[in-house]
Amino acid sequence: KYTPDQGWGIFSGKWRTTPSITGSWGGFRDKLEQKGIEVMVAYFGHLATNPLGGEKKGVSWKGDISGSIFMDMDRLTGWKGGYLLFSVSYVNPGRSLSPDYIGNFFPVQLDTLDEHGGFRIVHMALGQQLFNNTTEIVLGRIITGEDFANLRLACTSLNQRVCANPIVGRQSLTFPTYPVATWGARIKFKPHRDWYVQAGSYLVYAGLGNSNTGGLEFKVPNGSGLLSMGEVGYITGNYRGVPGLPGVIKVGGYYDSERLEDLDSGRNVNGTWGMYILGEQMLYSENSQ
């Protein structure tokens, strides 16, 4: 969580108290936040090696540097409940351990889809909070996997079969996950702290994750379709203020109108659909109050 009055962070000697390396930029970041502008830059890197077995020995480094700007339109212009989000990402070139050295089905390293590296625009979205912040509408370039079938704690495992999203979603249909965004819209209704319901629709097509477009595609490619999803979530514990051990259960479904090839007949078909149920639950804590 961002904390004001941090000077220049670790460069001001605040090693233990600063939540960010560069602090509040000597107070300039505080002034931006007061006006409704939040700026963030983050880097994530993952070094992995295959010392034995698999197809061959090897070492791989995959990293992602990202930057984002969040604008609270209420503070900036008086537009109550509105916000804008813009973000970019750069992935360094490099081979990934699983496909190039191990040959296993479920990846064991950060999977960025960009073996040759590349810069892309990620978010370019407009949001609106309504009805005392119980309803949120978002549209623009957004990420399906950040909205639906998402379990963030699952990324603590080395096996990335479920890393935020079940990998089967991305392998069986066009399911955009970070850093791949697409044009879409989502509405979420959360009238109570322990449950929510949401629905969204996203433009999908073959080659959506191609970094050659820089993350932008203003035309609708041939064979495109809409990935429409719905989800209900129930918060079972101390997750966003609900008493008890933290946990959440999510049930959802999807319908994809994108043109795909049927593996049995080789013909083009439309209308892929499916359902899912996901959950995470803490079982024990020394302090569960």
Side-chain angles (χ1 to χ4, degrees):
K1 182 178 180 180
Y2 171 63
T3 305
D5 303 321
Q6 291 295 307
W8 286 96
I10 65 172
F11 303 102
S12 299
K14 300 183 178 183
W15 293 88
R16 296 184 179 180
T17 60
T18 182
S20 61
I21 294 177
T22 55
S24 61
W25 306 343
F28 179 65
R29 191 176 179 189
D30 295 340
K31 295 178 180 178
L32 287 177
E33 186 185 16
Q34 291 170 0
K35 293 181 181 294
I37 302 175
E38 296 185 30
V39 180
M40 185 190 75
V41 177
Y43 180 79
F44 178 84
H46 192 177
L47 175 66
T49 181
N50 181 40
L52 183 67
E55 295 181 351
K56 57 184 175 181
K57 298 179 181 179
V59 178
S60 174
W61 174 269
K62 297 296 290 186
D64 177 286
I65 183 168
S66 60
S68 66
I69 300 176
F70 177 86
M71 289 176 279
D72 183 336
M73 300 307 291
D74 191 0
R75 295 184 185 181
L76 278 172
T77 67
W79 175 6
K80 188 171 179 58
Y83 65 86
L84 293 172
L85 174 63
F86 179 81
S87 71
V88 296
S89 168
Y90 175 77
V91 176
N92 70 280
R95 302 175 114 188
S96 184
L97 200 70
S98 288
D100 295 311
Y101 297 104
I102 301 178
N104 59 325
F105 187 71
F106 298 127
V108 297
Q109 187 184 29
L110 174 70
D111 187 5
T112 61
L113 304 177
D114 292 315
E115 179 180 328
H116 303 291
F119 170 87
R120 70 171 72 235
I121 294 173
V122 185
H123 295 96
M124 196 162 56
L126 168 67
Q128 177 67 54
Q129 301 276 353
L130 298 168
F131 310 122
N132 197 28
N133 294 335
T134 61
T135 304
E136 181 186 50
I137 299 174
V138 184
L139 54 89
R141 287 195 68 83
I142 52 181
I143 301 174
T144 312
E146 290 188 347
D147 298 331
F148 292 90
N150 188 298
L151 292 177
R152 296 190 181 278
L153 292 181
C155 276
T156 57
S157 172
L158 180 62
N159 186 330
Q160 296 190 47
R161 180 175 62 87
V162 180
C163 182
N165 312 105
I167 197 171
V168 67
R170 203 173 64 206
Q171 292 175 336
S172 58
L173 71 155
T174 305
F175 186 85
T177 58
Y178 184 86
V180 179
T182 188
W183 300 107
R186 171 182 59 82
I187 181 170
K188 184 175 184 178
F189 178 56
K190 188 179 179 184
H192 196 271
R193 64 183 183 179
D194 61 359
W195 70 275
Y196 69 86
V197 60
Q198 64 177 352
S201 195
Y202 306 83
L203 177 68
V204 291
Y205 51 89
L208 177 61
N210 190 343
S211 61
N212 294 333
T213 63
L216 284 179
E217 181 69 75
F218 288 99
K219 63 181 181 179
V220 179
N222 188 30
S224 299
L226 289 178
L227 175 62
S228 299
M229 304 193 69
E231 182 180 281
V232 177
Y234 178 69
I235 298 164
T236 60
N238 187 17
Y239 181 83
R240 299 183 181 176
V242 179
L245 293 175
V248 61
I249 299 172
K250 301 182 179 184
V251 179
Y254 66 87
Y255 179 85
D256 183 6
S257 65
E258 176 188 7
R259 189 176 67 200
L260 300 171
E261 180 182 341
D262 183 87
L263 297 180
D264 289 331
S265 64
R267 294 186 234 173
N268 291 327
V269 296
N270 301 79
T272 303
W273 66 274
M275 301 181 68
Y276 61 87
I277 179 169
L278 300 171
E280 57 189 17
Q281 176 65 53
M282 179 180 288
L283 300 178
Y284 173 77
S285 173
E286 292 185 359
N287 182 11
S288 59
Q289 301 298 322

